[in-house]
Amino acid sequence: MTVRVLLADDEALVRAGLRMILEAEPGIEVVGEAIDGVDAVAMCRELRPDVALVDIRMPRLDGIQAARRIAADPELSTAVVMLTTFDADEHVVEALRAGATGFLLKSMPREQLVTAVRTAVSGDSLLAPSLLRRLLDDFVRRSGSTTATVPGIGELTAREEEVLRLVSRGLSNAEIADELVLGEGTVKTHVAHVLAKLGVRDRVQAVVAAYESGLVRPGG
């Protein structure tokens, strides 16, 4: 299957570099380039890409707002991956809350970019939960955020809460299975139930919800 990719960045050189890397790989096709968030949303609706690589800072409509509109469109199944210059970008958490699958640094090695695009289309997270945890820890400490009501969090069973806490620690399904002495298939089912009850698309979104609800706390 060919992975269809949309590039959204206001810098032509960045788009050209991304296109050159991706189009050199078999099974990946760059179907369009957007110069701002407004174009990114419109082109996603027109071209239906599998993955959209979106700069977090763009004119007219920034990447966060673009991600929110793309993720909220029921007719789109595009995985939005944010591009940023800084690994400690304070807007990363906001972008993940908006519905982005993950984020990547513009300075990443070419093989990491290719792997990320293939990972995104498979439905997996592009951001290691351990890195997300560090970002969220820092964000919560800086903002002094209080817990919020998260729909579906109260519907989780005790086992599902336990699984979500382990996901938030950065554990894979196999590692969670070892920790809880369960079959990996059983863990996968629990994770699927957690995502469904919370109404989120991936593990990253589930971890964000765990922090917002207070189920997981900084450093905990």
Side-chain angles (χ1 to χ4, degrees):
M1 182 186 73
T2 299
V3 180
R4 294 162 48 81
V5 181
L6 174 73
L7 306 177
D9 196 298
D10 58 317
E11 296 185 29
L13 285 176
V14 172
R15 298 196 309 273
L18 293 172
R19 177 182 281 274
M20 180 180 67
I21 292 170
L22 293 174
E23 292 199 330
E25 293 294 320
I28 297 179
E29 176 188 4
V30 176
V31 296
E33 297 184 18
I35 61 173
D36 58 39
V38 173
D39 281 348
V41 175
M43 294 180 77
C44 277
R45 290 171 176 163
E46 176 188 356
L47 300 173
R48 297 290 199 273
D50 301 303
V51 180
L53 299 180
V54 180
D55 185 16
I56 206 165
R57 292 182 174 87
M58 292 187 293
R60 289 212 292 169
L61 187 73
D62 64 33
I64 295 172
Q65 294 300 322
R68 182 172 288 114
R69 294 185 187 184
I70 294 168
D73 191 328
E75 296 185 1
L76 294 178
S77 57
T78 302
V80 179
V81 180
M82 307 306 300
L83 296 172
T84 180
T85 305
F86 310 105
D87 61 358
D89 194 323
E90 64 183 14
H91 298 294
V92 167
V93 175
E94 187 180 355
L96 296 173
R97 284 173 170 161
T101 298
F103 84 101
L104 298 170
L105 293 174
K106 291 185 179 181
S107 59
M108 66 195 147
R110 62 181 298 150
E111 60 272 13
Q112 184 179 344
L113 171 64
V114 173
T115 298
V117 168
R118 298 193 189 281
T119 300
V121 79
S122 73
D124 291 332
S125 164
L126 295 182
L127 179 62
S130 56
L131 177 54
L132 174 60
R133 183 182 180 189
R134 177 176 64 79
L135 288 167
L136 287 170
D137 280 354
D138 292 344
F139 177 81
V140 171
R141 288 195 181 100
R142 286 197 311 269
S143 65
S145 296
T146 57
T147 59
T149 300
V150 175
I153 201 78
E155 299 177 18
L156 300 180
T157 65
R159 177 64 86 186
E160 289 164 355
E161 285 188 4
E162 193 172 18
V163 167
L164 178 53
R165 288 191 179 96
L166 294 175
V167 168
S168 299
R169 281 172 44 191
L171 274 62
S172 66
N173 286 352
E175 291 168 333
I176 294 172
D178 289 341
E179 180 86 9
L180 300 180
V181 194
L182 297 172
E184 190 171 345
T186 301
V187 172
K188 185 175 181 180
T189 298
H190 284 314
V191 171
H193 289 166
V194 169
L195 300 186
K197 288 181 179 180
L198 297 181
V200 296
R201 304 204 304 181
D202 55 40
R203 295 165 78 100
V204 169
Q205 295 288 310
V207 175
V208 172
Y211 270 77
E212 289 182 326
S213 69
L215 183 66
V216 175
R217 297 185 180 277

